[in-house]
Amino acid sequence: MRMLPIKKARAALVVLCCAAASLPAFAKEYLLTVTRPNNLHVVDPEKREVIRTIVLPGDGIPGAISVPKDGKVAYVLTNRMESVVGVDLDTGKPVFRADFSTPQRRVKGFFAVTVSEDGKELYAHQAPVQLGRSEYQVEDTYIAVFDTADGLNAKPRRTFPAPRRISLLAPTGNPDHVIALGWDMYLFNTKSGKIEKTFPIRHWERPGMGEPDVLAMWGTYEQARMLSTPYFVAKTDVPTDSPEAFKAGIAMFDLDAETLQVREFENATTVMFSSVINPARRNEAFLVMNQLSKVDTDSGKLLKRVDLPQTFYAINISGDGKEVYVGGALDKVSIHDAETLEKKGEITMPGGADQSIGWMRVVKR
């Protein structure tokens, strides 16, 4: 066997080491959820266990969770919806805090909080009330923009007007855009603060359809890049006692294409709180409350439904589209096969604490 000269061998070894170092590391998925009184949990869904609990500073109850693309810091809406705390997921230490209220002014953020994909800016829809001695003065709502580098005493760098009743925000594929879900969907330019486009939902004016009822409190979009929510709507072209009089549907906003699709899939026979799109088959949606449902959004067909032993508010899915996670409400995250909806596992929160209205998000590390 012919041997390489020592210098050439060393050079070859350096090339191999550099090539290995340049290979992307395998991204493992973790599930984030929150519980009372004010805890953030990092869950390993593969091991079926909570691997880290981070105690958030201040009062609870924690709710919305937003994470930039690198998955390093989780931003949690907490302190009775009046603060956002950012914690480093590796160290568990707070690295960001924005308190909305002052002694003279109470400011709430009703779920609508998101961070930019690059993690540099945080957006929060805010509803302020001036606290007088004998009366409260309701002020106009707006979106506040924070620089996440401002640390533990962050103040808005800028604000821009926004409609009331915004409950979800998400960054789109355009780094200057966020989508806001309220009565309708509003595409904001975060630099100019202007609404560039409105996607009608309540004001859709579809023949034979009334105004849809939407309870959009849980934001889940990171896997398929689709922000979705169930809705219920009355049909105005059939008798009110007809089985067809009320329909259940799902609204889906493609964050990269910046397009909205709505699809009814059944008569309204059950309640569904939140939904998620399968990243492996983007025509599949999963919806949850007291049942777990799977829908083909292309054909508008209910594919499968199973009863659950308890109520679940929040839902998410694995990156390969094989497992569905349901949580929120009480103290468990239940894991189901995406094909059959059969239960595959369960994770109980530490101390049996309930997740209440908290979100579940998936991060890749």
Side-chain angles (χ1 to χ4, degrees):
M1 180 177 177
R2 185 182 175 187
M3 301 294 291
L4 287 173
I6 292 177
K7 288 185 178 180
K8 288 186 177 181
R10 288 177 177 170
L13 181 60
V14 170
V15 170
L16 287 172
C17 290
C18 291
S22 65
L23 291 175
F26 174 73
K28 182 178 174 62
E29 290 186 346
Y30 297 92
L31 190 66
L32 302 181
T33 188
V34 290
T35 61
R36 293 171 182 258
N38 205 15
N39 298 318
L40 173 69
H41 305 285
V42 182
V43 178
D44 187 330
E46 185 179 359
K47 293 181 178 180
R48 310 291 201 243
E49 64 181 20
V50 176
I51 62 171
R52 170 171 289 174
T53 294
I54 299 171
V55 179
L56 300 172
D59 295 333
I61 304 168
I65 308 169
S66 187
V67 188
K69 196 171 183 178
D70 63 15
K72 293 182 178 180
V73 177
Y75 297 87
V76 183
L77 179 66
T78 184
N79 187 29
R80 301 177 181 87
M81 301 182 183
E82 295 180 27
S83 301
V84 171
V85 174
V87 291
D88 186 300
L89 292 175
D90 290 328
T91 66
K93 294 182 178 179
V95 295
F96 176 87
R97 178 161 182 156
D99 294 316
F100 303 164
S101 298
T102 66
Q104 296 78 33
R105 195 164 175 263
R106 182 178 299 150
V107 182
K108 298 285 187 179
F110 293 100
F111 308 105
V113 171
T114 195
V115 67
S116 60
E117 289 277 276
D118 61 11
K120 293 182 178 180
E121 288 191 331
L122 180 90
Y123 310 101
H125 183 270
Q126 299 188 337
V129 175
Q130 195 74 30
L131 305 177
R133 295 183 65 182
S134 60
E135 65 178 4
Y136 289 172
Q137 181 179 348
V138 177
E139 299 179 350
D140 292 335
T141 53
Y142 53 86
I143 292 175
V145 184
F146 298 86
D147 189 325
T148 58
D150 284 347
L152 299 178
N153 191 29
K155 305 298 180 186
R157 291 294 187 100
R158 62 188 187 277
T159 64
F160 47 84
R164 293 191 175 275
R165 294 169 294 273
I166 299 297
S167 59
L168 293 178
L169 290 173
T172 77
N174 184 329
D176 293 340
H177 286 171
V178 294
I179 191 71
L181 174 58
W183 272 355
D184 296 309
M185 277 191 166
Y186 311 95
L187 187 66
F188 280 93
N189 185 306
T190 59
K191 298 296 186 290
S192 68
K194 303 297 184 182
I195 296 176
E196 293 193 355
K197 188 173 183 179
T198 298
F199 299 86
I201 298 179
R202 185 188 183 197
H203 301 101
W204 59 18
E205 297 183 355
R206 293 171 60 192
M209 291 288 186
E211 296 179 355
D213 182 10
V214 179
L215 179 65
M217 291 169 50
W218 294 273
T220 303
Y221 52 79
E222 62 272 16
Q223 297 288 49
R225 299 284 300 154
M226 296 275 284
L227 179 67
S228 65
T229 183
Y231 66 84
F232 298 88
V233 62
K235 286 181 64 65
T236 58
D237 55 359
V238 300
T240 56
D241 59 354
S242 167
E244 298 285 329
F246 292 92
K247 306 291 287 187
I250 183 169
M252 300 158 286
F253 188 84
D254 188 314
L255 293 171
D256 293 320
E258 295 184 343
T259 55
L260 175 66
Q261 177 188 2
V262 294
R263 171 73 73 176
E264 290 83 41
F265 58 86
E266 70 172 349
N267 296 337
T269 59
T270 187
V271 178
M272 292 161 284
F273 269 10
S274 62
S275 60
V276 69
I277 306 300
N278 190 337
R281 293 179 295 278
R282 295 175 92 223
N283 66 306
E284 283 185 0
F286 299 87
L287 307 96
V288 75
M289 188 185 167
N290 295 325
Q291 294 87 22
L292 177 60
S293 307
K294 180 165 70 169
V295 172
D296 184 326
T297 60
D298 284 343
S299 65
K301 289 181 60 177
L302 176 68
L303 299 176
K304 194 171 182 62
R305 171 171 288 150
V306 297
D307 291 329
L308 298 171
Q310 66 177 63
T311 297
F312 292 95
Y313 292 161
I315 190 168
N316 216 314
I317 192 169
S318 60
D320 59 12
K322 293 182 179 180
E323 290 188 339
V324 178
Y325 314 123
V326 293
L330 300 178
D331 64 340
K332 292 179 175 59
V333 172
S334 186
I335 302 174
H336 295 257
D337 184 275
E339 185 65 31
T340 66
L341 303 189
E342 177 184 357
K343 184 175 178 179
K344 298 177 64 178
E346 183 178 276
I347 303 163
T348 301
M349 296 296 101
D354 69 78
Q355 298 159 90
S356 190
I357 56 173
W359 294 10
M360 292 193 306
R361 303 303 295 268
V362 175
V363 296
K364 296 179 174 67
R365 299 299 309 275

